[in-house]
Amino acid sequence: MSFPVQRLRRLRRNESLRALVRETTLDPGDLIYPLFLCPGEGIRHAVGSMPGVFNLSVDEAVREAEEAASLGIGGLLLFGLPDTKDEQASGAWKDDGIVQQGLRALKQSSAAGKLVLIADVCLCEYTSHGHCGIVVKSGDSYEVDNDPSLELLARTAASLANAGADIVAPSDMMDGRVAAIRSGLDAVGLTQTPILSYASKFASAFYGPFREAADSAPQFGDRRSYQMDGANIREAMREIKLDLDEGADMILMKPAMPYLDVVRAARERTGVPIGAYQVSGEYSMLQAAFEKGWLDRDRAILESLLGIRRAGADFIVTYFAKDAAKLL
Ligand code: PBG
């Protein structure tokens, strides 16, 4: 049977018909809103390359969280800008680190219980050189040393979970970090804290604006010796399998838009919950087009998120979380 018996336009004639046959949904509860915490009080420092994104002191972050909760957003992903950086990334794992302070304050706020608090686990915002692990000299150059970094990542995850993180999310891409974090959490009785691993994280130009927001640009070299090569989808599947074998409860894929095929492939191969991260560059390029009047803001925001859900993501980390929740 084909045309004229088959006419697919019959089910597109009006919004109620379209709504009835819609295959993919988008709900504020599917969205995770990233926040960048900084020391001080009353601070809302605008990030130049990310219109609408701010470095927030803890008190301001609590206000932002309360607004996010009232919009029905699913959770927050927390990053920190420490007041000092060093080679051991001590700001990442010390008890009064900036994200630890933020977590304690958020747990006291009216947003607690409504928002899932996810703490990003990485060292790059806290190391003086801006790399995601410990750096050692090797010949004339420098190398990010995998195994000694694991201990610091595990310490960071336990400290964040103790301060109130509901989920820890390692984004460093060291080999073996999920196992190290799982045993570090279990060793201090945090057996119920889930790990959301950034299982396939590609070395991407689209993280550019984030590095301004989080002040985490590497001082030398780049991240290609630990983040994945953008050409590789089979390797992404190996990363996912290893992280799940090591004990990851959920996986996060990033960036989203240039890697939707990877999200889809992950969806077809695993039964675990999958998140995708619409990263800073994806956000900023859309914002730039909105400023120019080149794209319809509201429609483009929702379409960019719907595409990620359709590819197979259960939830989406996005700087548009508040905007999208208001539109929905
Ligand atoms: C930390 C981290 C980064 C992002 C999330 N966690 C930056 C990076 O790897 O350079 C990027 C998020 C974004 O671009 O929005 N390692």
Side-chain angles (χ1 to χ4, degrees):
M1 253 192 312
S2 57
F3 179 82
V5 174
Q6 295 276 9
R7 288 181 185 269
L8 296 189
R9 286 185 55 191
R10 285 186 197 120
L11 298 181
R12 294 180 200 148
R13 287 185 67 211
N14 58 49
E15 180 50 26
S16 42
L17 277 170
R18 290 192 292 270
L20 185 70
V21 300
R22 193 158 287 142
E23 299 174 27
T24 309
T25 58
L26 191 59
D27 185 87
D30 305 330
L31 306 176
I32 305 289
Y33 187 42
L35 294 183
F36 298 96
L37 307 182
C38 67
E41 237 188 274
I43 295 175
R44 277 184 84 81
H45 170 73
V47 177
S49 55
M50 299 181 74
V53 174
F54 300 85
N55 293 158
L56 301 169
S57 51
V58 168
D59 55 327
E60 291 290 327
V62 167
R63 286 213 253 163
E64 200 72 16
E66 284 165 353
E67 191 191 348
S70 72
L71 289 167
I73 287 170
L76 303 177
L77 177 61
L78 302 176
F79 296 96
L81 292 93
D83 41 18
T84 58
K85 303 185 187 229
D86 56 40
E87 303 237 320
Q88 296 295 310
S90 55
W93 42 264
K94 64 181 187 183
D95 197 41
D96 61 347
I98 183 69
V99 176
Q100 286 83 346
Q101 291 176 38
L103 283 163
R104 288 193 192 96
L106 288 163
K107 280 287 170 200
Q108 301 290 311
S109 77
S110 69
K114 295 188 195 137
L115 295 170
V116 177
L117 302 180
I118 308 176
D120 185 87
V121 176
C122 195
L123 307 182
C124 62
E125 296 123 68
Y126 306 93
T127 48
S128 40
H129 44 68
H131 279 289
C132 304
I134 291 186
V135 164
V136 289
K137 204 156 191 268
S138 116
D140 289 344
S141 57
Y142 291 88
E143 203 175 292
V144 176
D145 200 359
N146 194 86
D147 300 6
S149 305
L150 299 180
E151 200 263 316
L152 295 186
L153 291 163
R155 204 188 293 179
T156 301
S159 167
L160 292 165
N162 264 325
D166 298 310
I167 297 176
V168 292
S171 66
D172 52 284
M173 291 301 279
M174 297 301 121
D175 287 322
R177 80 278 173 71
V178 174
I181 288 171
R182 184 72 271 155
S183 63
L185 292 171
D186 291 354
V188 293
L190 295 163
T191 57
Q192 298 302 312
T193 303
I195 299 174
L196 166 62
S197 117
Y198 287 66
S200 78
K201 173 170 177 180
F202 291 91
S204 172
F206 289 90
Y207 306 149
F210 173 94
R211 293 179 187 169
E212 182 193 336
D215 186 27
S216 68
Q219 299 302 301
F220 53 83
D222 56 42
R223 303 209 201 290
R224 282 183 286 185
S225 76
Y226 42 105
Q227 297 181 352
M228 286 189 53
D229 187 324
N232 294 356
I233 188 167
R234 292 192 299 266
E235 187 188 351
M237 298 304 116
R238 292 182 70 198
E239 280 285 3
I240 291 168
K241 181 169 187 309
L242 286 173
D243 283 8
L244 293 176
D245 288 349
E246 287 177 30
D249 299 278
M250 301 186 275
I251 54 174
L252 189 63
M253 321 291 290
K254 97 187 226 200
M257 193 153 72
Y259 297 89
L260 290 177
D261 57 324
V262 185
V263 178
R264 167 54 43 195
R267 170 78 297 154
E268 281 163 9
R269 275 180 188 69
T270 80
V272 295
I274 296 178
Y277 197 146
Q278 182 180 52
V279 300
S280 57
E282 299 176 61
Y283 173 83
S284 298
M285 73 182 174
L286 286 170
Q287 288 286 12
F290 303 156
E291 271 173 30
K292 293 234 178 221
W294 288 347
L295 286 176
D296 177 330
R297 180 180 174 280
D298 296 358
R299 290 184 56 205
I301 290 174
L302 294 181
E303 190 175 337
S304 70
L305 297 171
L306 191 68
I308 299 168
R309 287 266 300 137
R310 194 189 59 247
D314 298 301
F315 57 94
I316 305 171
V317 181
T318 174
Y319 303 98
F320 285 124
K322 280 201 311 181
D323 301 292
K326 286 176 194 161
L327 291 170
L328 289 167

